[in-house]
Amino acid sequence: MTALARAATAIDSASIGRIATDCLKLEIATYPKPGLVSPVDTGAHDDMDAAMMNRSAETLEPFFARLADAGAAGAGMDRLRAIGIEAEVAMMAATGGVNTHRGAIFGMGLLCAAAGFRAAYRASGTLGEIVAHRWGAEIRRGPVALHSHGSTAARRHAAGGARAEAATGFPSLYDIALPALAEARLLTAEEEARRVHALIALIVGVEDTNLLYRGGTEGLAFAQSRARTFLASGSVAIPDWRARAVAMHEAFTAQRLSPGGCADLLAMALFVEARGA
Ligand SMILES: CC(C)(COP(=O)(O)OP(=O)(O)OC[C@H]1O[C@@H](n2cnc3c(N)ncnc32)[C@H](O)[C@@H]1O)[C@@H](O)C(=O)NCCC(=O)NCCS
Ligand SMILES: Nc1ncnc2c1ncn2[C@@H]1O[C@H](COP(=O)(O)OP(=O)(O)OP(=O)(O)O)[C@@H](O)[C@H]1O
């Protein structure tokens, strides 16, 4: 690529890393979120809480900055993967072995790399398009963990999971989350309510392998149907929306259902909003 032959413009990778971590923390701070960890409770999880997740998010900041630098240096997927794996090791060390952010490292990490690439080469296209064009084929071909919860669910239910989402340029971000964040401005003036609306829209439309792993196709269908009903009956525009969202959170928690992939995508949508699509 001729653009890559030219010297790249210096980029503010530290700021990209900071925004990525801030967006993970905003997702954690949001309540109510069906089955997910927040400062109020730990939802369907018994091995992690908000303090651990915030620690994990802070640990990841320098890795997100390194991924932005790598993107700016024209790195291929092998290099990004190596940094991503280092970030997973640091996350595990910070949490005593709990998977707080594996999906987020992967998706947010690729967006940081794309943000670095776009800034350095003044490339056109959305961050999602850059991920798909530059790294999509290698993401598809790349090594698949034989025994991860996600890969087990993906095999069992023929779902694409985080890898397919990234390889196709994050359609759930551009077709679901960002339009929902924009539409929510017409429904509410509250920023937290806007995030809840976008998360629930994601649950309706995403095949989340966390839901599939924990609840099978029935769990996924239950989650999507509750989320659809919430949106259809006024979402965050009606006065008792919080009570209704808490009831949904309790129903997911009772069934041990947690849409962790949708939570990751919410944080990523906030990042894309902050950096420009
Ligand atoms: C691809 C990864 C996520 C493999 O994990 P796994 O096999 O469990 O995949 P799976 O797609 O099912 O889910 C992993 C996580 O992604 C999130 N997720 C689940 N479903 C979805 C979905 N539909 N869309 C987006 N994210 C999702 C959840 O948080 C989930 O826990 C990743 O761990 C990996 O390969 N890491 C290596 C490092 C790397 O390549 N990094 C890239 C640069 S940062
Ligand atoms: N607020 C949140 N609460 C819970 N999970 C979240 C949250 N935000 C993001 N996630 C995502 O959910 C995933 C964690 O889900 P989970 O704990 O179900 O994974 P697991 O370790 O595969 O399964 P299990 O806990 O059943 O052993 C992480 O990869 C993370 O990226």
Side-chain angles (χ1 to χ4, degrees):
M1 190 189 282
T2 46
L4 283 182
R6 274 183 239 127
T9 314
I11 63 144
D12 190 0
S13 52
S15 137
I16 294 175
R18 193 172 329 108
I19 296 172
T21 284
D22 285 350
C23 292
L24 292 186
K25 289 169 116 180
L26 255 184
E27 179 273 300
I28 297 158
T30 304
Y31 179 83
K33 300 187 300 266
L36 292 160
V37 174
S38 78
V40 175
D41 58 47
T42 63
H45 297 263
D46 46 25
D47 57 354
M48 59 192 184
D49 61 13
M52 183 193 282
M53 293 205 75
N54 279 322
R55 200 160 66 239
S56 163
E58 280 159 18
T59 302
L60 297 175
E61 184 173 329
F63 294 94
F64 289 137
R66 280 175 60 195
L67 285 159
D69 278 330
M77 194 58 208
D78 284 352
R79 177 78 197 117
L80 303 189
R81 191 173 289 121
I83 301 171
I85 289 168
E86 267 189 72
E88 288 184 16
V89 171
M91 169 193 80
M92 288 298 192
T95 62
V98 179
N99 165 22
T100 42
H101 281 121
R102 184 171 284 134
I105 293 170
F106 181 73
M108 188 72 93
L110 285 166
L111 290 177
C112 288
F117 177 82
R118 187 167 70 180
Y121 298 103
R122 303 194 194 291
S124 59
T126 65
L127 297 179
E129 284 165 352
I130 291 171
V131 170
H133 291 154
R134 286 198 61 71
W135 302 297
E138 284 181 84
I139 290 171
R140 261 194 212 94
R141 274 200 305 270
V144 177
L146 279 179
H147 302 297
S148 77
H149 288 169
S151 62
T152 304
R155 265 195 310 277
R156 205 176 281 156
H157 302 286
R163 211 174 274 104
E165 183 65 37
T168 52
F170 298 105
S172 302
L173 286 186
Y174 293 93
D175 300 342
I176 302 176
L178 291 170
L181 283 170
E183 167 188 83
R185 288 204 196 281
L186 309 173
L187 305 177
T188 176
E190 261 186 88
E191 281 301 304
E192 184 170 55
R194 212 165 71 86
R195 297 195 293 272
V196 170
H197 176 75
L199 174 67
I200 294 176
L202 281 164
I203 296 171
V204 171
V206 171
E207 246 187 354
D208 190 322
T209 58
N210 286 35
L211 288 172
L212 279 171
Y213 181 77
R214 286 176 171 222
T217 36
E218 274 171 36
L220 178 67
F222 170 84
Q224 294 188 324
S225 145
R226 283 297 296 249
R228 208 175 288 115
T229 303
F230 182 87
L231 294 187
S233 46
S235 190
V236 295
I238 57 172
D240 71 339
W241 74 266
R242 268 186 184 276
R244 292 173 53 248
V246 169
M248 182 169 23
H249 172 47
E250 284 166 356
F252 276 50
T253 300
Q255 297 198 37
R256 280 201 79 248
L257 291 172
S258 171
C262 294
D264 297 337
L265 287 163
L266 171 64
M268 289 157 63
L270 298 171
F271 175 85
V272 169
E273 227 188 21
R275 284 292 302 185

